[in-house]
Amino acid sequence: MSNKPGDRKNPLAKAARADRNRKIFIQVGVAVVLLGLVAAIGIGLAMRKSDNNKSNTAATGSFAPTVTHDASAGPTPPNVTPGGAITIGNPNAKVKIQVVADLQCPACQMFEHSNSSTLQQEVQSGTATIQYNIISFLDRSSNGNKYSSRAANAAYVVAASDPAKFQAWLGTMYEKQPPEGANGMTDDQLIAIAQAAGYTDPSVAADIKSNKYASFVTDETKAVFATGLQSTPSVWVDGKQVNDPKALMTTDGIKSVIEAAAK
């Protein structure tokens, strides 16, 4: 976490550094996956250190942004938390999971591919509730069509329509994630994904096309960076940040963290 005064005054100034950290995080995650495939040589020094030191799995420190949003600039999505999060599952579930992600972020895609089944199972069983902060700081990666921001808007649109379908929608969004530096999806493509996930209400398509929650996404992103967040994905389980790449980037790696919190 940076302690530079300029960063505290301008939270979005952290985005460039967060992007660098994110790329490093991708490299770490890929290394973990590859090392996991080569069992004969183990999983590497960093992973062994993490396994031997349980405190490395979750760093203390809660995540609690507060969004300040001027309603005159645009509407606030219904039913979001004061921190701008989409809540999925029973809010009174035993375990609270918080996920911060950008839909253009390749490391977020890796986390989703690795852990989506576990997260859906934990919600469906009633063990966990998940709060998703879908932020936007990677617009520069989509050849000018602002995919990151428009995808975040789509997240809040579909969640407002029916949160029960949100996780399935999210999985498809990551499956179809455009490569960084390529053209981002069009509005029609975003609408098609929403419809395939069961969001057939015409208002969903209209709200995606109008970028209904654009101003809210901007303010929510600022609020998240103001907490000192350094990279995406960032994940907390019961207020403790999960930092172990094995938990974040290997298949069902987050399961053991959730199970430990549920005891």
Side-chain angles (χ1 to χ4, degrees):
M1 183 182 300
S2 171
N3 291 316
K4 295 180 181 179
D7 285 348
R8 291 195 296 269
K9 293 178 181 178
N10 182 11
L12 282 179
K14 296 180 181 178
R17 187 175 62 260
D19 193 20
R20 291 194 298 271
N21 291 341
R22 177 180 55 78
K23 290 177 180 177
I24 294 171
F25 195 78
I26 292 171
Q27 294 170 353
V28 173
V30 170
V32 169
V33 173
L34 292 176
L35 288 167
L37 295 174
V38 188
I41 61 173
I43 61 173
L45 180 61
M47 291 291 295
R48 289 198 300 271
K49 181 179 179 181
S50 178
D51 288 340
N52 292 335
N53 185 355
K54 297 296 184 180
S55 66
N56 284 346
T57 298
T60 58
S62 60
F63 173 70
T66 300
V67 178
T68 301
H69 178 62
D70 183 355
S72 67
T76 297
N79 303 322
V80 295
T81 69
I86 297 162
T87 300
I88 305 299
N90 180 359
N92 298 316
K94 191 168 186 179
V95 179
K96 176 185 174 183
I97 303 167
Q98 295 168 282
V99 178
V100 181
D102 186 313
L103 287 164
Q104 179 67 79
C105 164
C108 300
Q109 180 191 56
M110 291 176 64
F111 170 75
E112 173 68 17
H113 284 175
S114 297
N115 290 293
S116 60
S117 294
T118 290
L119 294 176
Q120 290 185 48
Q121 290 167 8
E122 298 293 353
V123 167
Q124 291 168 3
S125 70
T127 300
T129 183
I130 306 178
Q131 292 182 353
Y132 289 96
N133 283 90
I134 305 299
I135 64 171
S136 169
F137 70 100
L138 291 173
D139 277 342
R140 64 187 177 277
S141 298
S142 57
N143 282 345
N145 85 343
K146 298 184 177 180
Y147 173 71
S148 173
S149 293
R150 293 186 304 103
N153 170 71
Y156 287 94
V157 169
V158 299
S161 176
D162 186 354
K165 299 184 180 78
F166 180 81
Q167 286 181 295
W169 171 88
L170 187 68
T172 302
M173 286 290 289
Y174 278 122
E175 285 176 9
K176 297 182 180 294
Q177 182 188 79
E180 287 187 297
N183 293 330
M185 291 187 210
T186 64
D187 287 341
D188 287 341
Q189 288 173 310
L190 291 172
I191 291 167
I193 290 174
Q195 291 174 339
Y199 293 105
T200 57
D201 188 325
S203 67
V204 170
D207 292 345
I208 289 174
K209 277 188 175 292
S210 69
N211 212 5
K212 181 175 182 177
Y213 298 120
S215 63
F216 176 82
V217 167
T218 296
D219 289 340
E220 190 243 354
T221 301
K222 290 178 181 177
V224 167
F225 277 117
T227 67
L229 178 133
Q230 295 292 301
S231 63
T232 55
S234 290
V235 181
W236 289 258
V237 175
D238 278 355
K240 296 180 180 180
Q241 187 169 6
V242 181
N243 290 321
D244 182 0
K246 183 178 180 181
L248 296 174
M249 296 299 179
T250 61
T251 302
D252 298 325
I254 199 72
K255 187 176 183 65
S256 62
V257 182
I258 298 171
E259 289 178 345
K263 290 180 180 178

